[in-house]
Amino acid sequence: MPSFADPFAGNVNRKMTKEELIQAVRLDIAGELEAIYLYDSHVQATDNEAAKAVISDIRDEEKAHVGELMTLLRTLDPKEADFFLSGEGEVKELLEKLDTKPETPGAEPENLLNGNSPTVGSLRD
């Protein structure tokens, strides 16, 4: 639930340590993922095409935010980035065994990691 009624809810009364900043970025990522889920459920729950278009666009912007925050997290915590790469490698290996191709062109794990994946803007061009 939003805590807009408390104007001090988001304030931090001191500078965060690097570890606290990393935790805050993880929480920010969780918030963006929750927003994506909520917006997507709203799109699925209406037949109003204008609402679907606007809410879908907002949802997709939240997806971009996840990418931005993940990039920041990988920069702040390179060891965590190694875990991400390890997990992506495991999935890629499994998909190769299953001979499964990504459903979206350009969504191969190596493109997602180096920022070469399609974006909302690139899909509009």
Side-chain angles (χ1 to χ4, degrees), residues 25 29 61-73:
V25 170
I29 291 168
E61 290 172 12
E62 303 303 331
K63 292 177 182 181
H65 296 165
V66 171
E68 293 167 340
L69 289 165
M70 289 296 295
T71 301
L72 176 59
L73 183 58

Side-chain angles (χ1 to χ4, degrees), residues 5 40-41 46 53 69 78 89 91 97 104 107 114 116 120:
D40 204 43
S41 68
T46 185
L69 289 165
V91 171
K97 286 180 183 177
T104 304
N114 63 23
N116 289 334
V120 173

